[in-house]
Amino acid sequence: MATKATQSSQEHWDKLVRLIELAKKSRKLSNTMRHGKPSEVVAALRDQVGLSAEEVAMILDDLELIADRGSVRWWSPLG
Amino acid sequence: MGALKLPENPRAIRLFGEVDARYQAFADRLPESLGRMARLRRTYLGSPSAEPFKGIADLNPVLAGTPWMFWEQFQHFDDEQFLAIAEGGALFVLASILLDHIIDRQVDQPQAASLLHQALHAHGTQCLRAALPASTSFWAQFERLSADHLAGLAAELDAQADTSCMREETFTQMAHGKVSPIVVTLAALAEASGRPAILPPMEASLKHIAVASQLLDDIGDWQQDIEAGHVTYFLTQIPAYRNSQGMPAQIVEATRAGINADWLDVDYLNVTLDWLRKSVEAVSRLECPGWLAYVEGYRQLTDEHLTVGVARHLVRVLRPIVAGSAS
């Protein structure tokens, strides 16, 4: 998926990738992210992704770089 | 990604070039003003510039490239029969693209565009008649697919005039109608090869990718669609959009809030991936590596959109939590 954007540690990068992949596919995590209280979100990240609150703060910049990626071209196979 | 990857076969490459040459010959025979229009890229691709149309290689591969994407199924044809069907199918598809632009009022000269549409449709049909006698069952498929095309376009017009018509069945009908002219080429090749049974899986695969395509377009363009007053199925699935009123800018903000609250773009990108999976499954018993590579490329692109979409929502959710715990 994403290429490594900054020099965060490999471990944090792996967790970031895991977070995104789980949020794509896991209804449980996704629902908590969408509608959970902050404490529930923090608990879900810790239990389901293995991310501590401190690690969340450390991966946020890389996450933002992925979110802001403008290189993905919307393209229709029939357009 | 997005360009046709021709089979690594000199004959396939030569035949592709020949269809392009035939298109240029067709344009040369048209009245001058229509010939000029036929040679402009914007006639088919909607780009605002005066760039020349480079031929079918300029188009999205699925539009006129299906004989090559399913090369393993059709390579046994002799050159003339292959070319007659590939040319006829390409012109027929180009006619449908132009018709789409005319209906959407995206052409500079609608009267001339209507005439060019007529010329493309007539010559495309003539090529197919030369390849497939009237007695073959292809013409029943041709009628069926033409009717599907018409029904899809009419459903789109109805849904634009009355939003309540935009239901899932309507959306599917519109998408299937859009791909029907492309299926005509495959129906002709399947019939001419004496293996009509290979048409249903190819048709199903194309129809599934058509639904995926329309959905991805709608997700990517939702803001422009609101600004242009264009109603899409994706928009009608957002309660905040359905319930919003006012100027386009207000509707855009309400819709954005609705998408963010429920991650609806993520949900519908996952639906898009489901349709792409179905597209692959439909041709699981058919040898068609070129087509499968195309669908896979599209799946990867959709997955990349999903990655970016999920990351955006995560940032939006996590940024205030991190800021709150730091303060």
Side-chain angles (χ1 to χ4, degrees):
Chain A
M1 50 163 258
T3 49
K4 193 171 178 180
T6 63
Q7 292 303 311
S8 60
S9 75
Q10 186 63 45
E11 187 188 351
H12 290 156
W13 182 255
D14 291 345
K15 286 184 179 179
L16 184 155
V17 172
R18 180 170 155 74
L19 167 62
I20 291 175
E21 290 304 311
L22 271 176
K24 281 183 193 174
K25 291 166 190 159
S26 158
R27 177 53 72 177
K28 189 179 164 195
L29 179 66
S30 181
N31 276 343
T32 307
M33 292 293 117
R34 293 175 200 209
H35 305 298
K37 296 174 187 165
S39 59
E40 292 168 339
V41 168
V42 170
L45 292 175
R46 184 189 61 228
D47 299 341
Q48 294 175 49
V49 191
L51 271 169
S52 67
E54 294 74 26
E55 285 174 318
V56 171
M58 293 170 84
I59 65 164
L60 207 46
D61 285 346
D62 279 345
L63 195 57
E64 204 150 41
L65 282 174
I66 295 170
D68 289 342
R69 202 151 53 194
S71 61
V72 182
R73 188 165 58 101
W74 287 98
W75 174 79
S76 159
L78 303 183
Chain B
M1 174 76 203
L4 175 62
K5 190 174 182 299
L6 285 170
E8 289 178 10
N9 177 308
R11 181 169 172 256
I13 295 165
R14 176 175 57 77
L15 291 172
F16 190 78
E18 180 64 28
V19 171
D20 261 342
R22 288 184 178 206
Y23 177 78
Q24 297 304 331
F26 161 78
D28 288 344
R29 290 193 301 273
L30 290 170
E32 196 180 332
S33 60
L34 297 187
R36 267 201 308 276
M37 182 177 262
R39 290 190 199 87
L40 281 177
R41 197 165 188 269
R42 69 165 178 252
T43 299
Y44 304 115
L45 286 114
S47 57
S49 73
E51 284 177 74
F53 178 54
K54 294 175 192 147
I56 60 173
D58 230 1
L59 298 168
N60 189 294
V62 79
L63 295 170
T66 49
W68 291 270
M69 295 173 115
F70 290 95
W71 177 251
E72 286 72 15
Q73 299 299 320
F74 305 123
Q75 60 178 318
H76 61 279
F77 280 106
D78 65 53
D79 283 7
E80 206 39 54
Q81 196 172 26
F82 184 94
L83 286 168
I85 294 173
E87 181 192 5
L91 294 180
F92 197 71
V93 169
L94 287 172
S96 77
I97 295 170
L98 200 49
L99 186 60
D100 265 357
H101 293 337
I102 293 168
I103 291 171
D104 291 344
R105 297 179 189 167
Q106 290 174 343
V107 290
D108 305 333
Q109 305 169 60
Q111 296 93 338
S114 300
L115 295 180
L116 179 56
H117 166 264
Q118 170 70 10
L120 289 161
H121 190 282
H123 190 60
T125 310
Q126 189 188 337
C127 291
L128 294 172
R129 281 196 200 291
L132 292 142
S135 57
T136 63
S137 63
F138 162 71
W139 293 100
Q141 301 282 13
F142 182 88
E143 291 298 326
R144 173 181 67 83
L145 293 163
S146 297
D148 283 353
H149 184 218
L150 191 66
L153 292 175
E156 165 101 53
L157 284 179
D158 291 346
Q160 292 306 322
D162 176 2
T163 314
S164 66
C165 295
M166 186 64 91
R167 294 182 291 270
E168 189 176 355
E169 312 87 83
T170 319
F171 171 69
T172 307
Q173 184 182 33
M174 284 159 44
H176 288 179
K178 199 170 179 179
V179 86
S180 290
I182 304 169
V183 178
V184 163
T185 311
L186 294 172
L189 289 166
E191 176 68 29
S193 69
R195 291 174 302 144
I198 64 172
L199 178 61
M202 292 189 296
E203 180 173 349
S205 190
L206 260 82
K207 283 182 168 173
H208 294 328
I209 206 171
V211 176
S213 160
Q214 194 58 59
L215 205 43
L216 191 64
D217 265 1
D218 293 353
I219 299 166
D221 293 344
W222 69 262
Q223 193 168 329
Q224 295 95 309
D225 285 331
I226 291 174
E227 286 160 356
H230 184 72
V231 179
T232 66
Y233 174 67
F234 175 63
L235 283 174
T236 62
Q237 299 309 295
I238 304 167
Y241 169 81
R242 289 200 305 271
N243 300 329
S244 63
Q245 289 178 330
M247 301 297 283
Q250 294 166 294
I251 300 174
V252 164
E253 282 320 303
T255 304
R256 190 191 313 282
I259 291 172
N260 285 343
D262 291 318
W263 295 28
L264 289 172
D265 51 345
V266 168
D267 283 349
Y268 280 91
L269 283 168
N270 273 313
V271 174
T272 304
L273 287 172
D274 286 341
W275 284 109
L276 291 170
R277 267 190 286 276
K278 288 179 189 172
S279 182
V280 170
E281 284 165 14
V283 288
S284 61
R285 295 184 177 185
L286 217 57
E287 188 189 3
C288 49
W291 172 250
L292 289 175
Y294 173 77
V295 181
E296 171 57 19
Y298 190 52
R299 188 202 65 76
Q300 287 175 13
L301 183 81
T302 306
D303 190 58
E304 181 69 1
H305 283 304
L306 189 56
T307 296
V308 171
V310 162
R312 280 183 187 148
H313 289 301
L314 286 171
V315 167
R316 202 173 35 72
V317 169
L318 297 177
R319 191 58 87 189
I321 293 176
V322 168
S325 63
S327 60

